[in-house]
Amino acid sequence: KTDGRLIVTVVGGRLQVLVVEGGRHRLAGHLPLPGNGGDHDLLLSGDRVLVRSSTWTAATAPPLAPDARGVAPDMMIAPGHERTVLTLVDVSDPEAPAILSTFEVDGHVLGARLVGDVARVVTGAQPRGFNPVYPTDGSPGEQTRVQAANQAQLETSTLRNWLPEY
């Protein structure tokens, strides 16, 4: 992002602030950002930059058993938990950008806009607090058992199981 005086970017998990002078730019300062991967989005307003980054925490899942043909699945999407990290950075001194605050929320960003100097960020998250039961084989009895176990968890859930944490 740029305001014509500064160029702010993220490279390799690091916020970089470049100063534009006389049609040329120079790296003034940099700052490591929280988060452990994914892409980054920036919203720039005056001397403040809101940086959106992601973290991912892998969850453990039981190993998958071979199916009725004896074929074991060799790959599955790793279950886990995505969180969005919003970091407010002061760039009033481009030589020494400083983190003012950090806020984490469950899920991923669906959209973000800057309206005046107010950032509006919309996130989406999967419900937490459940320990889904997965079938260990494809038999009808196993399917019934798994469905009953998951249904019991739904029936005893509370509002906290459905709302994102921050």
Side-chain angles (χ1 to χ4, degrees):
K1 297 290 182 180
T2 184
D3 63 2
R5 178 181 66 93
L6 299 178
I7 299 172
V8 182
T9 186
V10 176
V11 176
R14 221 171 52 155
L15 180 91
Q16 295 184 336
V17 182
L18 295 93
V19 175
V20 178
E21 298 167 329
R24 304 194 70 177
H25 66 276
R26 67 174 174 80
L27 178 62
H30 58 85
L31 179 70
L33 294 170
N36 63 1
D39 55 351
H40 295 81
D41 291 323
L42 303 171
L43 298 173
L44 174 63
S45 178
D47 290 333
R48 304 281 194 263
V49 178
L50 184 66
V51 182
R52 193 263 329 143
S53 54
S54 304
T55 65
W56 178 265
T57 303
T60 58
L64 298 177
D67 63 16
R69 300 168 299 164
V71 177
D74 60 353
M75 185 182 295
M76 115 173 197
I77 296 173
H81 182 72
E82 183 178 11
R83 287 179 65 87
T84 293
V85 181
L86 300 171
T87 306
L88 184 62
V89 179
D90 180 354
V91 292
S92 59
D93 178 0
E95 306 286 332
I99 293 176
L100 297 174
S101 62
T102 302
F103 179 80
E104 289 190 30
V105 63
D106 284 347
H108 59 280
V109 171
L110 297 172
R113 299 286 182 272
L114 194 58
V115 179
D117 60 355
V118 175
R120 302 185 189 279
V121 180
V122 178
T123 61
Q126 295 295 320
R128 289 184 69 174
F130 295 105
N131 294 309
V133 178
Y134 299 96
T136 57
D137 63 49
S139 70
E142 178 66 1
Q143 296 295 325
T144 301
R145 181 191 73 79
V146 166
Q147 183 176 2
N150 288 328
Q151 184 67 37
Q153 284 192 60
L154 288 174
E155 290 171 1
T156 59
S157 69
T158 65
L159 188 58
R160 184 171 182 187
N161 296 115
W162 295 97
L163 297 177
E165 291 184 0
Y166 59 91

